[in-house]
Amino acid sequence: MTPVGQAISDDTLDVLLACRPVYTRNQDVAAFELLLQGEHGNKSATLKELETSSPIILGNYNQVYQHGQTKRVPGFLKITDDVIFATALPDLPQKHYILEVGDDVLLTSERVERLRDMAKRGYRIALSSYDPDDVELDAMLDVAHIVKLDTRTMSDEQLRTAMTKLRMYGVETLADNLDSKARFTACLELGFTYYQGDFLSAPEPVKGKKISGNKVLLLELLSELQNPAASPLKLEEIALRDAKLTYRILKLVNSAAVSLHREVSSISHAIGLLGMKEIQRWASLFLIEGERGKPEELTRKMLVRGRMCEVLAEVCGNRNAADNFIVGLLSLLDAMMDISMEELMQQVPLNQDVKNALMNRAGDLGEVLNEVELYEKGAFSELKLVGSLPIYETAYRHSVAWARQAQQALTGED
């Protein structure tokens, strides 16, 4: 097992945990929904598991890098009767958690009163899957601070009716399960407070659009990096054609993001120290950044996905884990650039195994990418690549932290 793989296996929790972002109308991250699975495969963690996991959540999962700074955002945490009927309130900081009542919780008068008491003591309460026709839910509208509506099961007219009713109660509203930009825009017009779903990952291909600007040079650099006969001097010759690119590469390799302990004065020097695969990694990172109108969260998701693919491949003993990184990183390139994946693969000089994984989730590379996508969705019961499930959470946690560090390096934060 590689050193990274060993570190991962030595730092596991008893729960699986992934994060779904919750956005503002400007597509900034306002919060994360914490998808937890307890040790025994339960859909939610026990109170003890929540309290044990809380330091990890607060230290890793409620931080997001956007607009040039790292900030903390709250986490939506689904609760069960184990929490609702606990003899003492959970030891969870109120400002960092929003307690979400799922549609699997039977809202008896006793439960509503317990939730009301939690709200009085400073906890924010969220009600999910709200149905305006279910009058039994009205008792919760005086308790809840945020009400989630499932846009997959409700028409625009039903959403409009629900919003009219909810405004009377002064609660914040969250449009959940948005799977397209069109649906997001419709909910924007209805005035929702928050938005959640995979709409950022849905590409809107513009026919005939090409990769533009200095990214054409990056593609040439990537192509040369895949040439077995590539030399540091040849790569330096390509990079030197863009002074800004040369400066950024030198700045990055001297940054904490790559943990070098010596100054790097030239591209060929950097390649000699880091190796071709590491330079290939950063060239790929430059390729995904800076598309106009695209939220920072899309870049973050690509970074997390790329690093987690690489780490899982290393854990499994894959010698070409760098290819897994590229596959994960570029798996949302179509959404980032609004070019269909098929057209992108005609423009991007990658080997055929990488292309097959990106287009069809095929081969060993595609298998790892599929596992990471399942983990992101919280489909923990479908994971099968790694024998020890807790390793997935540690790999994900590591990737979240690495992505935050890489974002800081990409935006030039010192």
Side-chain angles (χ1 to χ4, degrees):
M1 185 177 285
T2 66
V4 171
Q6 185 64 53
I8 292 295
S9 64
D10 289 345
D11 188 27
T12 57
L13 285 175
D14 290 332
V15 299
L16 298 177
L17 195 157
C19 299
R20 293 179 67 218
V22 174
Y23 305 101
T24 66
R25 61 187 300 108
N26 295 324
Q27 299 178 43
D28 290 332
V29 175
F32 286 107
E33 178 183 1
L34 303 171
L35 306 174
L36 282 133
Q37 176 176 291
E39 182 179 12
H40 302 293
N42 301 321
K43 289 184 178 180
S44 186
T46 66
L47 178 58
K48 182 179 178 181
E49 287 169 335
L50 291 179
E51 292 179 340
T52 301
S53 306
S54 185
I56 296 295
I57 293 171
L58 297 181
N60 295 271
Y61 292 121
N62 75 332
Q63 298 181 51
V64 61
Y65 182 82
Q66 56 188 7
H67 303 306
Q69 61 181 351
T70 301
K71 69 172 190 175
R72 291 183 181 274
V73 296
F76 282 75
L77 189 62
K78 277 196 170 72
I79 58 172
T80 61
D81 280 354
D82 183 51
V83 176
I84 295 172
F85 288 110
T87 54
L89 285 177
D91 184 20
L92 302 171
Q94 289 104 327
K95 69 177 181 178
H96 294 311
Y97 291 100
I98 299 168
L99 304 183
E100 181 178 342
V101 183
D103 54 8
D104 56 343
V105 174
L106 182 62
L107 289 171
T108 61
S109 58
E110 185 180 6
R111 288 185 178 86
V112 171
E113 287 308 308
R114 296 282 296 190
L115 292 166
R116 191 187 305 278
D117 185 52
M118 287 183 180
K120 288 178 180 178
R121 292 173 182 252
Y123 283 99
R124 285 172 288 176
I125 308 296
L127 176 65
S128 64
S129 300
Y130 173 70
D131 179 357
D133 295 326
D134 187 349
V135 295
E136 293 186 2
L137 294 179
D138 289 353
M140 275 296 295
L141 297 182
D142 288 325
V143 177
H145 302 84
I146 301 171
V147 175
K148 300 174 71 170
L149 284 78
D150 188 346
T151 63
R152 287 181 306 191
T153 61
M154 300 176 72
S155 66
D156 286 352
E157 185 57 38
Q158 288 173 315
L159 291 172
R160 188 174 293 107
T161 299
M163 289 291 286
T164 299
K165 182 174 181 179
L166 292 172
R167 284 191 188 97
M168 297 169 57
Y169 287 88
V171 297
E172 295 183 311
T173 50
L174 188 156
D176 197 11
N177 293 316
L178 296 167
D179 57 6
S180 71
K181 299 286 179 60
R183 197 73 163 137
F184 168 68
T185 300
C187 289
L188 270 178
E189 293 174 355
L190 289 173
F192 279 85
T193 317
Y194 304 111
Y195 307 83
Q196 190 171 22
D198 294 328
F199 62 96
L200 287 187
S201 304
E204 295 183 313
V206 178
K207 190 172 183 180
K209 183 179 178 183
K210 302 293 183 183
I211 298 175
S212 59
N214 73 331
K215 295 192 176 181
V216 174
L217 191 64
L218 283 168
L219 289 174
E220 187 177 342
L221 191 63
L222 278 173
S223 180
E224 184 63 24
L225 281 162
Q226 293 207 317
N227 178 2
S231 70
L233 288 176
K234 175 62 176 176
L235 294 168
E236 183 175 58
E237 179 185 321
I238 296 172
L240 285 173
R241 283 155 45 194
D242 187 316
K244 182 179 179 182
L245 176 61
T246 300
Y247 168 77
R248 295 198 66 207
I249 291 176
L250 292 176
K251 183 176 174 63
L252 274 170
V253 297
N254 280 308
S255 75
V258 292
S259 302
L260 287 179
H261 300 293
R262 67 187 81 178
E263 286 293 312
V264 177
S265 57
S266 69
I267 299 295
S268 57
H269 184 202
I271 295 169
L273 288 172
L274 297 176
M276 297 289 190
K277 289 298 184 182
E278 192 68 16
I279 293 296
Q280 185 181 55
R281 176 200 302 272
W282 286 104
S284 302
L285 292 178
F286 286 137
L287 185 63
I288 73 166
E289 68 161 335
E291 287 297 304
R292 183 174 297 176
K294 296 298 181 179
E296 291 178 280
E297 174 57 22
L298 183 57
T299 299
R300 190 194 76 89
K301 186 172 183 178
M302 295 170 81
L303 292 167
V304 172
R305 187 177 286 187
R307 183 56 177 155
M308 188 170 178
C309 282
E310 182 179 34
V311 170
L312 288 183
E314 290 179 356
V315 168
C316 293
N318 189 333
R319 294 182 180 179
N320 297 313
D323 284 343
N324 291 92
F325 173 80
I326 291 173
V327 166
L329 186 78
L330 301 187
S331 61
L332 292 168
L333 192 62
D334 53 349
M336 176 65 79
M337 297 193 171
D338 289 326
I339 302 175
S340 72
M341 189 61 76
E342 184 176 350
E343 289 187 49
L344 278 172
M345 291 303 98
Q346 294 173 4
Q347 299 181 45
V348 179
L350 298 169
N351 68 51
Q352 195 58 47
D353 287 343
V354 170
K355 290 184 177 182
N356 289 340
L358 289 171
M359 290 192 291
N360 306 309
R361 303 300 188 262
D364 293 340
L365 295 170
E367 182 183 24
V368 174
L369 175 58
N370 186 62
E371 288 279 295
V372 173
E373 290 174 324
L374 289 172
Y375 193 90
E376 291 172 346
K377 297 173 184 175
F380 303 131
S381 62
E382 299 178 41
L383 300 171
K384 58 185 179 182
L385 184 66
V386 179
S388 176
L389 285 178
I391 287 179
Y392 285 92
E393 187 280 327
T394 319
Y396 181 72
R397 190 196 325 157
H398 166 88
S399 301
V400 167
W402 180 88
R404 192 161 52 242
Q405 190 177 45
Q407 279 185 290
Q408 292 169 354
L410 283 169
T411 55
E413 183 185 84
D414 294 322

